[in-house]
Amino acid sequence: MQKTKKPVTGRPSLWIFGEVLFDTFPDGTAVLGGAPFNVAWNLTAFGADPKIISAVGDDPPGREIQARMDRWRMNRDHVAICPEYPTGKVTVNLSRGEPSYIIEEQQAYDNIPLHCLPEQTDDFLYFGSLALRSTHNQEVLAELRKRHQGKVFVDINLREPFWTEAGVSELLDDVHWLKLNENELAQLNRENEAEAAARQLKHDYSLEGIVVTCGSKGAFTLGPENRLIRVEPHQAQEVRDTVGAGDAFASVLLLGLLRSWTLEETLTRAQDFAAAVIGLQGAVSTAPDFYQQHLQTW
């Protein structure tokens, strides 16, 4: 049974739970990353004022993350400093622009302290699956969901060996919106083609909406009325790498839900923004104009 969203007063709020880390590339470049952090970064640039719940180490990468958050005017009231753990790190290997990942274990974001949680959250709560590989974070998120009074948006990130079908099934209980890519959808439902598999997931978990990204083929969604909406890229884009493209898509999906855009508008704008991000190295830009040009067209 889905939660009933309480009446909203004032500006809608968005809470984000999960990993913050550095993606390191073959050329030695280190770029801020982590799906929840990327979403929070993008939405801050779009003026949505998200609040991220995470943790960094008391080390140079952790201090660099705090400094960059301050420069970007991100809220870090709920980002803990954990001296006993290192700041998250992922090694990214690229093959024709497509990434594969070596994900370090027992990082700061695997150990988000309970004291980071607010007394209550409302409107929207976003999280992925990677930060839930630790039992500790599973328990912290369970407590957060008890305190949450609004809708839940989950972005599945199936990274081997950090997921199980049973774990994903438990994660999707009482969720409103789900986003995943076509490969992840196939891993969860091997018997059906993409649209039928998405309809089955939506039905099985009583989802309000499901969004499936399909790489260069675009994306599709099934919303509250079960109407299929598809979107394709306007034109071929120059690909530097696809790191963060899904996070870019999720950022605009959330923005559309917060601002009550139509699903058609939201999906088209999410696709356009994701297409722009694949021209970057890494998942986000530090240039405000990169975001403003999209806001102006919206």
Side-chain angles (χ1 to χ4, degrees), residues 49-120:
D49 192 28
K51 299 172 180 64
I52 184 168
I53 302 167
S54 191
V56 298
D58 186 15
D59 51 21
R63 288 187 282 276
E64 179 64 19
I65 286 171
Q66 294 173 70
R68 293 195 193 186
M69 289 182 72
D70 289 343
R71 289 197 295 270
W72 203 242
R73 297 184 179 180
M74 293 179 72
N75 185 307
R76 61 179 180 90
D77 292 345
H78 302 273
V79 178
I81 300 171
C82 298
E84 61 271 39
Y85 298 104
T87 296
K89 177 183 176 183
V90 170
T91 300
V92 182
N93 295 308
L94 300 172
S95 176
R96 297 181 181 179
E98 291 295 325
S100 61
Y101 306 93
I102 300 173
I103 304 172
E104 303 287 343
E105 298 190 53
Q106 281 301 309
Q107 308 289 281
Y109 70 78
D110 291 309
N111 298 277
I112 299 172
L114 193 62
H115 69 71
C116 284
L117 301 186
E119 290 299 317
Q120 179 176 300

Side-chain angles (χ1 to χ4, degrees), residues 243-291:
V243 176
D247 307 334
F249 203 102
S251 302
V252 181
L253 286 176
L254 283 163
L255 191 66
L257 291 171
L258 286 168
R259 296 187 176 175
S260 300
W261 295 344
T262 67
L263 267 180
E264 289 89 344
E265 287 174 330
T266 301
L267 208 64
T268 298
R269 292 168 180 178
Q271 178 63 53
D272 290 345
F273 183 59
V277 166
I278 64 176
L280 305 174
Q281 181 178 40
V284 298
S285 173
T286 57
D289 288 349
F290 178 78
Y291 298 92

